[in-house]
Amino acid sequence: ATPSTTAPVPCSAAGTVVTRPFGVATFGSTFQNLAAFGQATFNVSDRFRVIGGFRFTHDQLEVFHSRVATGLAVNAAGIPQAAPGIQPNFDQGVYAEYLRLVALGQSPTVAANNAVVRTNGIPFQSKTTNSNWSGRAGLQYDIVPQSTLYATYTRGYKGPAFNVFFNLNATGTNVIEPETADAYEVGLKNTLFDGALVLNLAGFYAKYDNYQANNPDVIAGVLVTRFTNAGEISTRGVELDMIWRPAPDLNISGGVAYTDAHVDQFKVPTNGVTTGVIASGTRLGYAPEWKGSLTANYRVRTGGAVDFEIGTQGSYQSSQISQFDASPAIRAATTIKAYGLVDLQAAVLDKDDRYKLTFQVKNLFDQSFAASITSGGPGGGFRYIIPREADRYYGVTGRVNF
């Protein structure tokens, strides 16, 4: 290969433009919540009960934001442009100009660029309030004293929200509407063999409206995560969990869950842009189909001043989407593969459980995995968040009870 003969151009050369962008943002939020709630149980008979409850919630949320940026490059019209990591000024004057230009039919991009000339140094402020009634109703029936059958309905609520962060711009100032959920559950709770075995089985279904989801976005060359109302989603599945004590000093516990969580109807943007719409039926992020764990712990009683304890824990989860994105390619690239972990521990403790020294090995088989995978990496790549638990490590823990 022929080496390049193009010499580097020094920054001091004629015609070279050097910018040193600098930005300072002041922002925050104030959240006030007022709630009243109560629950009651009505015993229809010794074996049949009706339960009911309510909750009244009133939320008030206020946000403020002001950003001053200097040293930005300007376009031909003299308007400051976004620099890597920094947006032009943003305050109440910028926001008011944005609204004026949008009302005239100009696109948000044009409005955002032109509005910067109307900055006035007054922090952008916004406020929203909302009130909600939610509640719970259910039935419980004791088939036998050791087995209880139940069914419940719950109306859930999550209050409104705002996005507020360093690179906030006018297009991100909308109120995130409250999320509501209708959840149904039926199950059977059992205490068997004189309490040696607790075995619970449940089936559930929940539908969420105005689902509040994290939406990755790139602003001024920086990947940010913004809250958004994604639309309607639903989740359904079954869960099994147990606590078993086959011997006085041997405890085994664990559970397994199957969950199908997906989009029912994605909320289409009001500006007519549909490139970010996620297809119905798409699985939700961080919602593996299968997840389970099993723990065993045995205490060796010596009859002396100290006892010994050994234990192990295993966990497994199937693959899950890390970035909830409209692009199937991005969802595939950011899918965290299935993995399982095994931990071991051994402990020395006194007979009265006042002192305990535990030696442990985490991730015994050195299973590598990512806690999160997102786009926005260097050169259009992806960012992997690798937790400490993705490598085998050792530790010692001391505990004193008094």
Side-chain angles (χ1 to χ4, degrees):
T2 302
S4 173
T5 58
T6 303
V9 178
C11 294
S12 59
T16 301
V17 177
V18 179
T19 60
R20 295 182 176 86
F22 179 81
V24 175
T26 303
F27 53 91
S29 61
T30 302
F31 180 71
Q32 297 182 41
N33 173 273
L34 174 68
F37 53 90
Q39 180 170 308
T41 301
F42 176 63
N43 295 295
V44 180
S45 69
D46 291 340
R47 301 170 64 181
F48 182 50
R49 295 173 294 280
V50 178
I51 58 176
F54 76 93
R55 181 183 181 93
F56 171 77
T57 306
H58 179 76
D59 294 318
Q60 177 175 300
L61 180 60
E62 301 179 46
V63 295
F64 64 91
H65 191 291
S66 180
R67 180 179 62 247
V68 176
T70 60
L72 302 181
V74 298
N75 61 17
I79 304 300
Q81 303 298 290
I86 300 178
Q87 285 280 86
N89 295 0
F90 179 72
D91 54 24
Q92 191 63 43
V94 171
Y95 180 68
E97 180 67 1
Y98 166 83
L99 295 180
R100 186 185 72 83
L101 293 172
V102 169
L104 295 176
Q106 297 195 28
S107 69
T109 301
V110 173
N113 285 339
N114 285 306
V116 78
V117 301
R118 298 296 182 94
T119 182
N120 59 11
I122 299 173
F124 157 76
Q125 293 183 326
S126 192
K127 173 182 176 181
T128 187
T129 60
N130 192 73
S131 297
N132 174 268
W133 286 93
S134 54
R136 180 172 182 259
L139 305 173
Q140 295 178 341
Y141 180 71
D142 297 333
I143 303 172
V144 293
Q146 299 81 15
S147 297
T148 299
L149 179 68
Y150 69 92
T152 60
Y153 163 74
T154 304
R155 174 73 168 180
Y157 165 78
K158 184 187 294 183
F162 281 102
N163 285 297
V164 56
F165 52 94
F166 178 85
N167 273 331
L168 182 70
N169 53 26
T171 59
T173 55
N174 59 295
V175 178
I176 310 303
E177 298 298 328
E179 173 187 299
T180 57
D182 293 295
Y184 305 84
E185 182 175 333
V186 294
L188 185 64
K189 294 182 179 293
N190 306 279
T191 303
L192 309 173
F193 308 117
D194 296 324
L197 175 63
V198 175
L199 186 65
N200 301 321
L201 177 65
F204 60 90
Y205 170 79
K207 189 174 185 66
Y208 297 79
D209 187 44
N210 270 336
Y211 178 62
Q212 296 178 354
N214 288 319
N215 176 48
D217 195 7
V218 177
I219 299 179
V222 176
L223 181 69
V224 299
T225 301
R226 291 195 285 182
F227 234 20
T228 187
N229 289 122
E232 296 180 0
I233 66 129
S234 62
T235 178
R236 65 212 30 90
V238 292
E239 293 180 344
L240 174 68
D241 63 81
M242 65 92 178
I243 301 174
W244 184 29
R245 194 178 186 188
D249 290 309
L250 176 60
N251 296 285
I252 301 173
S253 63
V256 62
Y258 169 79
T259 304
D260 175 19
H262 59 251
V263 174
D264 290 334
Q265 182 63 53
F266 197 76
K267 190 172 183 179
V268 179
T270 57
N271 60 6
V273 178
T274 58
T275 54
V277 174
I278 297 178
S280 298
T282 300
R283 288 193 62 83
L284 297 183
Y286 297 103
E289 271 191 305
W290 290 97
K291 194 168 186 178
S293 66
L294 185 64
T295 300
N297 186 277
Y298 181 64
R299 180 166 180 168
V300 181
R301 296 187 184 271
T302 65
V306 297
D307 294 336
F308 300 96
E309 190 177 82
I310 56 175
T312 182
Q313 180 182 28
S315 62
Y316 169 82
Q317 66 179 37
S318 58
S319 62
Q320 58 181 327
I321 296 172
S322 175
Q323 185 166 318
F324 188 51
D325 196 278
S327 168
I330 291 180
R331 292 199 303 271
T334 59
T335 293
I336 301 171
K337 296 180 179 180
Y339 63 90
L341 302 175
V342 176
D343 302 333
L344 295 179
Q345 66 179 36
V348 180
L349 64 163
D350 74 307
K351 62 180 182 179
D352 297 321
D353 289 333
R354 292 175 301 174
Y355 309 100
K356 187 175 184 179
L357 186 64
T358 303
F359 304 87
Q360 52 193 343
V361 182
K362 294 290 188 179
N363 194 353
L364 177 66
F365 298 107
D366 203 22
Q367 173 66 61
S368 179
F369 66 96
S372 175
I373 307 174
T374 62
S375 57
F382 296 91
R383 297 181 185 272
Y384 285 69
I385 306 300
I386 307 298
R388 181 181 67 169
E389 291 76 12
D391 292 298
R392 179 174 52 238
Y393 67 96
Y394 311 87
V396 180
T397 302
R399 190 185 72 189
V400 178
N401 293 327
F402 55 90

